[in-house]
């Protein structure tokens, strides 16, 4: 039997996320050896390209991804470029028959997301979205318990996320501050949380009603170092009610300024209740927890607690688990957790539905933002064991 060569990866975007998660996969000091080889890098900033090529002897390309695809012909393109270029780069790679792993959000609009899904259907290649929060061991425990019927059929979910001031403020200092570039927090950040809700509930969002406000970060806000740029046009407080096709309702909120960072989650079902708290960054001076706790309170039965260790590594160990699942031939169980193009599209569409509802006070039908997007199993790429949805 002929030996299969390692996959050849190209990377688009040489910013912080690339340096922390993807570039260290390659070379003699790789933290997850055996993934494959890096064969090219692209970025529109010469200084970033120079920093990469100083350590990895690979060809460098500018922000236009097409010359890289034509000349290098990688097996997989990893997209870590700014959000607003994702759609164009993904579609170019799929058109060239190159598999794609893209950072979230998949796109910054539902129209772009629908176009990406259509492009994947026309292509022999496949797309996966790096919704890494699926891979946090706490979140996987929640998914397992819900799938096992620990509280019966989910009826309501309440997810409240908050950011510490430094993290929240950073979105207003970078390119994310412009809705055209990021979709606002309801897409660039909340797509994580909408994907989790969709995944936990195992259902597609049908309607969204929402409100957004800018409360905490404006050019007049006292600044630690410098003032918020005047062109920032995104909001920092979000709230949404999401109705699912199967009848469940989710209540979601995000505040970009809080004493601690993370979320509280409650899921109410026909047979009980599940609650948990995910703490990314505790208040100053508070020691980090060593274990997460998921409380399950069945109707007519004694409550019980599932304790999960807090792991080390970026995003509390979720990134390493995601890399193993998406860039190796993972077990079918782990590979089935991967976010597909359709999953990525729905996470973006909920964010856009929230934006539209906040603007005009209407209830927004999610599928109307994603014309033609439906799901069915399809053969997947050589570098993964799950199929794309088409």
């Amino acid at each position: 039997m002929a030996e299969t060569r390692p996959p050849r990866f190209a990377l688009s975007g040489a910013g912080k996320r690339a340096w922390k998660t993807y570039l260290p996969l390659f070379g003699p000091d790789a933290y997850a050896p055996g993934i494959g080889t890096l064969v090219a890098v692209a970025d529109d900033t010469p200084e970033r390209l120079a920093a990469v090529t100083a350590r990895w002897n690979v060809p460098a390309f500018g922000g236009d991804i097409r010359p890289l695809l034509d000349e290098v012909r990688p097996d997989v393109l990893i997209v870590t470029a700014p959000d607003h270029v994702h759609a164009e780069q993904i579609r170019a790679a799929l058109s060239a028959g190159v598999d794609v792993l893209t950072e979230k959000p998949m796109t910054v609009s539902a129209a772009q997301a629908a176009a990406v899904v259509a492009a994947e259907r026309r292509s022999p290649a496949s797309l996966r979205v790096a919704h890494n929060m699926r891979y946090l061991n706490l979140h996987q425990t929640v998914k397992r318990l819900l799938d096992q019927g620990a509280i019966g059929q989910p009826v309501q979910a309440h997810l409240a996320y908050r950011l510490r001031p430094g993290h929240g403020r950073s979105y207003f200092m970078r390119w994310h501050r412009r809705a055209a570039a990021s979709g606002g927090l309801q897409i660039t950040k909340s797509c994580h949380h909408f994907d989790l809700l969709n995944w936990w509930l195992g259902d597609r969002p049908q309607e969204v009603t929402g409100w957004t406000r800018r409360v905490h970060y404006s050019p007049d806000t006292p600044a630690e170092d410098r003032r918020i740029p005047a062109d920032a046009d995104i909001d920092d407080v979000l709230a949404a009610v999401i109705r699912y096709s199967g009848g469940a309702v989710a209540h979601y909120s995000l505040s970009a300024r809080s004493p601690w960072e993370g979320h509280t989650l409650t899921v109410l079902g026909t047979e009980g209740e599940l609650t948990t708290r995910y703490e990314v960054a505790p208040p100053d001076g508070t020691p980090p927890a060593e274990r997460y706790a998921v409380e399950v309170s069945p109707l007519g039965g004694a409550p019980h607690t599932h304790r999960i260790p807090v792991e080390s590594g970026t995003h509390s160990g979720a990134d390493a688990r995601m890399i193993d699942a998406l860039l190796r031939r993972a077990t079918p169980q782990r590979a089935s957790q991967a976010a597909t193009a359709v999953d990525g599209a729905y996470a973006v569409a909920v964010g856009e539905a929230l934006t539209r509802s906040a603007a005009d006070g209407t209830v927004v039908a999610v599928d109307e933002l994603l014309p033609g997007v439906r799901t069915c199993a399809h053969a997947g790429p050589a570098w993964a064991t799950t199929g794309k949805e088409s």
Side-chain angles (χ1 to χ4, degrees), residues 34-45:
I35 291 292
T37 58
L38 182 68
V39 295
V41 61
D43 197 284
D44 59 4
T45 305

Side-chain angles (χ1 to χ4, degrees), residues 173-194:
M173 304 304 297
R174 301 172 291 178
W175 54 263
H176 302 80
R177 69 183 181 272
R178 297 287 295 161
S182 68
L185 288 178
Q186 50 268 52
I187 288 181
T188 194
K189 182 61 178 179
S190 296
C191 72
H192 264 322
H193 314 137
F194 298 142

Side-chain angles (χ1 to χ4, degrees), residues 180-242:
S182 68
L185 288 178
Q186 50 268 52
I187 288 181
T188 194
K189 182 61 178 179
S190 296
C191 72
H192 264 322
H193 314 137
F194 298 142
D195 178 69
L196 280 176
L197 286 167
N198 299 345
W199 181 57
W200 282 330
L201 297 175
D203 202 357
R204 295 296 185 206
Q206 187 171 28
E207 293 180 339
V208 176
T209 304
W211 305 265
T212 72
R213 291 181 62 197
R214 188 167 175 187
V215 178
H216 302 297
Y217 304 106
S218 73
D220 298 326
T221 303
E224 295 87 350
D225 47 12
R226 65 187 192 277
R227 292 196 176 276
I228 303 296
D231 63 349
D233 63 0
I234 64 174
D235 288 340
D236 53 27
V237 175
L238 320 175
V241 178
I242 308 163

Side-chain angles (χ1 to χ4, degrees), residues 317-341:
D319 282 346
R321 195 177 289 107
M322 178 188 73
I323 291 298
D324 202 42
L326 297 184
L327 298 184
R328 294 187 193 273
R329 279 195 169 274
T331 64
Q333 178 183 8
R334 181 171 292 180
S336 68
Q337 299 167 347
T340 64

Side-chain angles (χ1 to χ4, degrees), residues 10-326:
L11 178 70
S12 174
K16 181 179 178 181
R17 182 64 169 158
W19 278 93
K20 289 184 67 175
T21 304
Y22 295 103
L23 285 169
L25 293 171
F26 307 106
D29 300 321
Y31 73 87
I35 291 292
T37 58
L38 182 68
V39 295
V41 61
D43 197 284
D44 59 4
T45 305
E47 293 79 10
R48 287 180 172 177
L49 287 176
V52 174
T53 56
R55 291 186 58 182
W56 289 271
N57 184 25
V58 296
F61 295 82
D64 183 355
I65 204 68
R66 287 167 295 185
L68 183 156
L69 297 170
D70 292 341
E71 297 176 28
V72 180
R73 300 295 303 172
D75 298 312
V76 183
L77 175 69
I78 300 173
V79 178
T80 62
D83 300 351
H84 65 281
V85 303
H86 286 192
E88 179 183 355
Q89 295 193 351
I90 292 167
R91 292 172 67 184
L94 292 173
S95 179
V98 175
D99 292 321
V100 183
L101 172 63
T102 182
E103 276 293 303
K104 63 81 194 169
M106 187 176 81
T107 63
V108 296
S109 74
Q112 290 178 349
V116 163
V117 172
E120 190 199 38
R121 289 173 177 165
R122 294 190 299 266
S123 174
S126 284
L127 167 66
R128 288 292 175 270
V129 185
H131 275 299
N132 60 333
M133 290 191 77
R134 289 188 178 204
Y135 297 90
L136 182 71
N137 56 356
L138 169 63
H139 295 159
Q140 293 189 333
T141 298
V142 170
K143 174 65 171 172
R144 175 176 56 82
L145 291 169
L146 293 177
D147 285 352
Q148 290 175 348
I151 59 169
Q153 181 69 28
V155 176
Q156 289 181 299
H158 303 261
L159 178 62
Y161 207 96
R162 68 270 290 157
L163 303 172
R164 292 192 70 182
H167 190 185
R169 187 175 184 276
S170 71
Y171 286 96
F172 290 80
M173 304 304 297
R174 301 172 291 178
W175 54 263
H176 302 80
R177 69 183 181 272
R178 297 287 295 161
S182 68
L185 288 178
Q186 50 268 52
I187 288 181
T188 194
K189 182 61 178 179
S190 296
C191 72
H192 264 322
H193 314 137
F194 298 142
D195 178 69
L196 280 176
L197 286 167
N198 299 345
W199 181 57
W200 282 330
L201 297 175
D203 202 357
R204 295 296 185 206
Q206 187 171 28
E207 293 180 339
V208 176
T209 304
W211 305 265
T212 72
R213 291 181 62 197
R214 188 167 175 187
V215 178
H216 302 297
Y217 304 106
S218 73
D220 298 326
T221 303
E224 295 87 350
D225 47 12
R226 65 187 192 277
R227 292 196 176 276
I228 303 296
D231 63 349
D233 63 0
I234 64 174
D235 288 340
D236 53 27
V237 175
L238 320 175
V241 178
I242 308 163
R243 186 167 70 87
Y244 283 82
S245 298
V249 173
H251 303 84
Y252 170 77
S253 65
L254 171 71
S255 175
R257 193 166 186 264
S258 171
W260 65 280
E261 182 157 334
H263 69 65
T264 55
L265 170 71
T266 298
V267 184
L268 298 147
T270 55
E271 301 296 333
E273 176 181 300
L274 177 151
T275 62
T276 192
R277 172 182 168 119
Y278 169 50
E279 197 168 89
V280 183
D284 291 340
T286 303
E290 294 184 356
R291 303 183 76 84
Y292 305 117
V294 182
E295 303 283 348
V296 176
S297 302
L299 289 172
H304 52 279
T305 302
H306 299 261
R307 298 196 180 277
I308 306 100
V310 175
E311 297 180 340
S312 60
T314 56
H315 292 104
S316 303
D319 282 346
R321 195 177 289 107
M322 178 188 73
I323 291 298
D324 202 42
L326 297 184

